[in-house]
Amino acid sequence: QVQLVESGGGSVQSGGSLRLSCSASGYTTTHHCMAWFRQAPGKEREGVAKIDSNGYTYYSQSVRGRFTISADNAKNTLYLHMNSLKPEDTAMYYCSGSIAPWTCPDGLRGTDFPYWGQGTQVTVSS
């Protein structure tokens, strides 16, 4: 049974940093495409970043240059390092995993990822 558990969310001031973690069980993070999504109240879910088994990464325009996605094989954990946080980054953040191994699908659509964590809240104040 696949289980993804996020942690690391919290409240920070604008310009601050956070590191989100997603611990996996029943699933090998570095053998699949993994991604982070977020959803703010009243808004649609938004893809943030993805990483494949070769370490290829992709970021949405809104976070490129500020966020870094990575995966640790030994710890079977996915990370999202978030720097220069802005109030508009406030959202519930979810990690997700694909079924197909190794490569990521084109784009960053939630429907391509069947495995999801429960989410961790990030709040950025101005």
Side-chain angles (χ1 to χ4, degrees):
Q1 181 179 355
V2 176
Q3 188 172 17
L4 303 176
V5 179
E6 302 96 334
S7 61
S11 297
V12 296
Q13 290 191 328
S14 181
S17 300
L18 283 174
R19 186 186 76 166
L20 305 184
S21 300
C22 173
S23 179
S25 59
Y27 187 83
T28 304
T29 59
T30 53
H31 288 183
H32 296 83
C33 179
M34 300 291 297
W36 287 96
F37 288 80
R38 67 187 181 185
Q39 187 165 21
K43 294 188 177 181
E44 293 187 356
R45 183 175 57 192
E46 173 191 14
V48 174
K50 64 181 179 181
I51 183 169
D52 72 8
S53 60
N54 292 315
Y56 169 80
T57 58
Y58 170 84
Y59 300 91
S60 69
Q61 185 67 36
S62 61
V63 306
R64 195 169 297 156
R66 300 187 298 121
F67 291 10
T68 302
I69 188 172
S70 63
D72 186 321
N73 183 45
K75 296 182 178 180
N76 205 25
T77 299
L78 179 73
Y79 299 101
L80 185 69
H81 301 256
M82 306 185 296
N83 296 319
S84 302
L85 283 162
K86 305 174 182 180
E88 50 264 44
D89 295 318
T90 295
M92 185 72 79
Y93 282 72
Y94 300 90
C95 75
S96 59
S98 66
I99 288 181
W102 312 123
T103 60
C104 284
D106 291 337
L108 201 53
R109 296 179 299 272
T111 51
D112 290 328
F113 297 87
Y115 301 121
W116 292 83
Q118 84 290 347
T120 186
Q121 177 68 38
V122 172
T123 302
V124 184
S125 59
S126 58

